[in-house]
Coordinates of all heavy atoms in Angstrom, one line a residue:
A206 N 34.9 -43.2 -64.1 CA 35.5 -42.9 -62.7 C 34.7 -43.7 -61.7 O 33.5 -44.0 -61.9 CB 35.4 -41.4 -62.5
T207 N 35.3 -43.9 -60.6 CA 34.7 -44.7 -59.5 C 34.4 -43.7 -58.3 O 35.3 -43.1 -57.8 CB 35.5 -45.8 -59.0 OG1 35.8 -46.7 -60.1 CG2 34.8 -46.6 -57.9
Y208 N 33.1 -43.6 -58.0 CA 32.7 -42.8 -56.8 C 32.0 -43.7 -55.8 O 31.2 -44.5 -56.2 CB 31.7 -41.7 -57.3 CG 32.4 -40.7 -58.2 CD1 32.3 -40.9 -59.6 CD2 33.0 -39.5 -57.7 CE1 32.8 -40.0 -60.5 CE2 33.6 -38.6 -58.6 CZ 33.5 -38.8 -60.0 OH 34.0 -37.9 -60.9
S209 N 32.3 -43.4 -54.6 CA 31.6 -44.2 -53.5 C 31.6 -43.3 -52.2 O 32.4 -42.5 -52.0 CB 32.3 -45.5 -53.2 OG 33.7 -45.3 -52.8
G210 N 30.5 -43.6 -51.4 CA 30.4 -43.0 -50.1 C 30.4 -41.4 -50.2 O 29.7 -40.8 -51.0
E211 N 31.3 -40.8 -49.4 CA 31.4 -39.3 -49.3 C 31.8 -38.7 -50.6 O 31.4 -37.6 -51.0 CB 32.3 -39.0 -48.2 CG 32.4 -37.5 -47.9 CD 33.3 -37.2 -46.7 OE1 33.7 -38.2 -46.0 OE2 33.6 -36.0 -46.5
A212 N 32.7 -39.4 -51.4 CA 33.1 -38.8 -52.6 C 32.0 -38.6 -53.6 O 31.9 -37.6 -54.3 CB 34.2 -39.7 -53.2
M213 N 31.1 -39.6 -53.7 CA 30.0 -39.5 -54.6 C 29.1 -38.3 -54.2 O 28.6 -37.5 -55.0 CB 29.2 -40.8 -54.6 CG 27.9 -40.7 -55.5 SD 26.9 -42.1 -55.5 CE 27.9 -43.3 -56.4
G214 N 28.8 -38.2 -52.9 CA 28.0 -37.1 -52.4 C 28.6 -35.7 -52.7 O 27.9 -34.8 -53.1
T215 N 29.9 -35.6 -52.5 CA 30.6 -34.3 -52.8 C 30.5 -34.0 -54.3 O 30.3 -32.9 -54.6 CB 32.0 -34.5 -52.3 OG1 32.1 -34.8 -50.9 CG2 32.8 -33.2 -52.5
A216 N 30.8 -35.0 -55.1 CA 30.7 -34.8 -56.6 C 29.4 -34.3 -57.0 O 29.2 -33.4 -57.8 CB 31.2 -36.0 -57.3
V217 N 28.3 -35.0 -56.6 CA 26.9 -34.6 -56.9 C 26.6 -33.3 -56.4 O 26.0 -32.5 -57.1 CB 25.9 -35.7 -56.4 CG1 24.5 -35.2 -56.6 CG2 26.2 -37.1 -57.1
E218 N 27.0 -32.9 -55.2 CA 26.7 -31.6 -54.6 C 27.4 -30.5 -55.4 O 26.8 -29.5 -55.6 CB 27.2 -31.6 -53.2 CG 26.9 -30.3 -52.4 CD 27.3 -30.3 -51.0 OE1 27.7 -31.4 -50.5 OE2 27.3 -29.3 -50.4
E219 N 28.6 -30.7 -55.8 CA 29.3 -29.7 -56.6 C 28.7 -29.5 -58.0 O 28.6 -28.4 -58.4 CB 30.8 -30.1 -56.7 CG 31.7 -29.2 -57.5 CD 31.8 -27.8 -56.9 OE1 31.4 -27.7 -55.6 OE2 32.2 -26.8 -57.5
L220 N 28.3 -30.6 -58.6 CA 27.6 -30.5 -59.9 C 26.3 -29.7 -59.8 O 26.0 -28.9 -60.6 CB 27.4 -31.8 -60.5 CG 28.7 -32.6 -61.0 CD1 28.3 -34.0 -61.4 CD2 29.3 -31.9 -62.2
S221 N 25.6 -30.0 -58.7 CA 24.3 -29.3 -58.5 C 24.6 -27.8 -58.2 O 23.8 -26.9 -58.7 CB 23.6 -29.9 -57.3 OG 23.3 -31.2 -57.5
R222 N 25.6 -27.5 -57.5 CA 26.0 -26.1 -57.2 C 26.3 -25.3 -58.5 O 25.8 -24.2 -58.7 CB 27.1 -26.0 -56.2 CG 27.4 -24.6 -55.8 CD 28.8 -24.5 -55.0 NE 29.9 -24.8 -55.9 CZ 30.4 -23.9 -56.7 NH1 30.0 -22.7 -56.8 NH2 31.4 -24.3 -57.5
L223 N 27.1 -26.0 -59.3 CA 27.5 -25.3 -60.6 C 26.2 -25.1 -61.5 O 26.1 -24.1 -62.1 CB 28.5 -26.2 -61.3 CG 29.9 -26.3 -60.7 CD1 30.8 -27.3 -61.4 CD2 30.5 -24.9 -60.8
E224 N 25.3 -26.1 -61.5 CA 24.1 -26.0 -62.3 C 23.3 -24.8 -61.8 O 22.7 -24.0 -62.6 CB 23.3 -27.3 -62.3 CG 22.0 -27.2 -63.0 CD 21.1 -28.4 -62.8 OE1 21.6 -29.4 -62.2 OE2 19.9 -28.3 -63.2
S225 N 23.2 -24.7 -60.5 CA 22.4 -23.6 -59.9 C 23.0 -22.3 -60.3 O 22.2 -21.3 -60.5 CB 22.3 -23.8 -58.4 OG 21.6 -22.8 -57.8
E226 N 24.3 -22.2 -60.3 CA 24.9 -20.9 -60.6 C 24.7 -20.5 -62.1 O 24.3 -19.4 -62.3 CB 26.5 -21.0 -60.4 CG 26.9 -21.1 -58.9 CD 26.8 -19.7 -58.3 OE1 27.0 -18.7 -59.0 OE2 26.4 -19.7 -57.1
Y227 N 24.8 -21.5 -62.9 CA 24.5 -21.2 -64.4 C 23.0 -20.9 -64.6 O 22.7 -20.1 -65.4 CB 25.0 -22.4 -65.2 CG 26.5 -22.4 -65.4 CD1 27.2 -23.5 -65.0 CD2 27.1 -21.4 -66.1 CE1 28.6 -23.6 -65.1 CE2 28.5 -21.5 -66.2 CZ 29.2 -22.6 -65.8 OH 30.6 -22.6 -66.0
M228 N 22.2 -21.6 -63.8 CA 20.7 -21.4 -64.1 C 20.3 -19.9 -63.7 O 19.3 -19.4 -64.3 CB 19.9 -22.4 -63.2 CG 19.9 -23.8 -63.8 SD 19.0 -23.8 -65.4 CE 17.3 -23.4 -64.8
T229 N 21.0 -19.3 -62.8 CA 20.6 -17.9 -62.5 C 20.7 -17.0 -63.6 O 20.0 -15.9 -63.7 CB 21.4 -17.4 -61.3 OG1 22.8 -17.4 -61.7 CG2 21.2 -18.2 -60.0
L230 N 21.5 -17.3 -64.6 CA 21.6 -16.5 -65.8 C 20.3 -16.5 -66.6 O 20.1 -15.6 -67.4 CB 22.8 -16.9 -66.7 CG 24.2 -16.7 -66.0 CD1 25.3 -17.5 -66.8 CD2 24.6 -15.2 -66.0
F231 N 19.6 -17.6 -66.5 CA 18.3 -17.7 -67.1 C 17.1 -17.3 -66.2 O 16.2 -16.6 -66.6 CB 18.0 -19.1 -67.7 CG 19.0 -19.5 -68.8 CD1 20.2 -20.2 -68.5 CD2 18.7 -19.2 -70.1 CE1 21.0 -20.6 -69.5 CE2 19.6 -19.5 -71.1 CZ 20.7 -20.2 -70.8
T232 N 17.1 -17.8 -65.0 CA 16.0 -17.6 -64.1 C 16.2 -16.3 -63.2 O 15.2 -15.9 -62.6 CB 15.9 -18.8 -63.1 OG1 17.1 -18.9 -62.4 CG2 15.7 -20.1 -63.9
G233 N 17.4 -15.7 -63.2 CA 17.6 -14.6 -62.3 C 17.7 -15.0 -60.8 O 17.7 -16.2 -60.5
Y234 N 17.8 -14.1 -60.0 CA 18.0 -14.3 -58.5 C 17.4 -13.2 -57.7 O 17.1 -12.1 -58.3 CB 19.4 -14.6 -58.1 CG 20.3 -13.4 -58.1 CD1 20.5 -12.6 -57.0 CD2 20.9 -13.0 -59.3 CE1 21.3 -11.5 -57.0 CE2 21.8 -11.9 -59.3 CZ 21.9 -11.1 -58.2 OH 22.7 -10.0 -58.2
S235 N 17.1 -13.4 -56.4 CA 16.5 -12.4 -55.6 C 17.3 -12.1 -54.4 O 18.0 -13.0 -53.8 CB 15.1 -12.9 -55.1 OG 14.2 -13.0 -56.3
D236 N 17.3 -10.9 -53.9 CA 17.9 -10.5 -52.7 C 16.7 -10.2 -51.7 O 15.7 -9.6 -52.1 CB 18.7 -9.2 -52.8 CG 20.0 -9.5 -53.5 OD1 20.7 -10.5 -53.1 OD2 20.4 -8.8 -54.5
Y237 N 16.8 -10.6 -50.5 CA 15.7 -10.5 -49.5 C 16.3 -9.7 -48.3 O 17.4 -9.9 -47.8 CB 15.2 -11.8 -49.0 CG 14.6 -12.7 -50.1 CD1 15.3 -13.6 -50.8 CD2 13.2 -12.5 -50.4 CE1 14.8 -14.4 -51.8 CE2 12.6 -13.3 -51.4 CZ 13.4 -14.2 -52.1 OH 12.8 -15.0 -53.0
Q238 N 15.4 -8.7 -47.9 CA 15.8 -7.9 -46.7 C 14.5 -7.8 -45.9 O 13.4 -7.7 -46.3 CB 16.2 -6.5 -47.1 CG 17.5 -6.5 -47.9 CD 18.1 -5.1 -48.0 OE1 17.5 -4.1 -47.6 NE2 19.3 -5.0 -48.6

Side-chain angles (χ1 to χ4, degrees):
T207 302
Y208 296 93
S209 61
E211 185 177 349
M213 177 183 289
T215 302
V217 171
E218 183 179 350
E219 180 63 17
L220 290 172
S221 298
R222 187 191 66 80
L223 290 173
E224 179 190 348
S225 178
E226 288 288 323
Y227 283 118
M228 281 295 294
T229 58
L230 293 167
F231 293 95
T232 60
Y234 70 94
S235 295
D236 288 310
Y237 297 93
Q238 294 192 357

